[in-house]
Amino acid sequence: WGFFITNFIFWVGISHAGVMISAILRLSQAEWRRPMVRAAETMTVFSLMCAAMMPLIHEGRPWRVMYWIAPYDFARGIWPDVRSPLVWDPAAIGTYLTGSSLFVFTALIPDLAVIRDRSTGWRRVVYGILAMGWHGNPRQWKLQGIAGILLSALILPVFVSVHSIVSWDFGVTQVPAWHVTIFAPYFVVGAVLSGVAAVVTLLIIMRKLFHLENYLWEEHIDGLGRLLIVVALGWHFLFWLELVFALWLFEDQELIVWQLRLFTPPWSWFFLVFYLFSFVIPVIGWSIRSVRRSFVWMFWISLLVNFGMFLERLIIIVPGLMQKGPV
């Protein structure tokens, strides 16, 4: 169970960064974003699909999946309990997946028109429908730009709310070390850290596979490396603030969970690996300009970050479930 929850949190976190980066850079009119935002946006859609699979697998009875998607008891006319995370999650993921798909589709319309013009037969018909009559006149470019700006402004609060809702899945329970008030910003910043690292990994792989050396430069990953330093420092502050709250409240079960994380194998080893991989090694590396501008170094460091962040989710979730307490 803990493994499925960890995977769900991990993929939801990765999905956030693509659209978030694209929306922020689009609103700030940063021209250096152009070679990489399409890959980041597409990564968001596929990551959300992976995240949506985890509750379906955890469902145990997949033939009842429609109740999870539309939780309304038609036989008895009973509406779902809106206080339940089982209602929050499909609403949040569905909203974010819809918004992200619209965001990506709006940016893809000129490209779909190019494919339409270079296709024949049924492919031309399909891409003609998807291109929505795009011919590239000034009015269409203006409308597409306005739509991109509006969707960018709308998707950012959705991005924050989705991972906040995911964190409240834990916060509303009484499992030790889960009901923490800072989980919303902590999960959001952690999602940005793992997501931006995944964008770096994806861009470097695409650059190598599709020979995009003329489009993806050292300046692009250097800019992402600088962003990652800021995000990692913010995540580091919130992570240790959780321990400060546990010490301040001095609840026995909270302290037992932290003792398990820090001093009891194998969780103490997981903690050491996660902390080195997610903060110490990456921040030291990203602080060096030659490392930030090296595709080889950035590729391996970004992989370390996401491996460490997976372990971080694991040590948040499982040790709390191991304690006997009110649920």
Side-chain angles (χ1 to χ4, degrees), residues 222-242:
D222 181 59
L224 291 176
R226 294 170 186 268
L227 174 63
L228 282 166
I229 293 175
V230 177
V231 175
L233 291 173
W235 167 84
H236 183 257
F237 169 76
L238 291 170
F239 175 78
W240 289 111
L241 189 61
E242 182 188 354

Side-chain angles (χ1 to χ4, degrees), residues 33-48:
R33 77 182 193 277
R34 296 186 182 275
M36 62 183 184
V37 292
R38 192 64 49 80
E41 294 163 356
T42 307
M43 184 196 73
T44 290
V45 176
F46 284 96
S47 299
L48 278 172

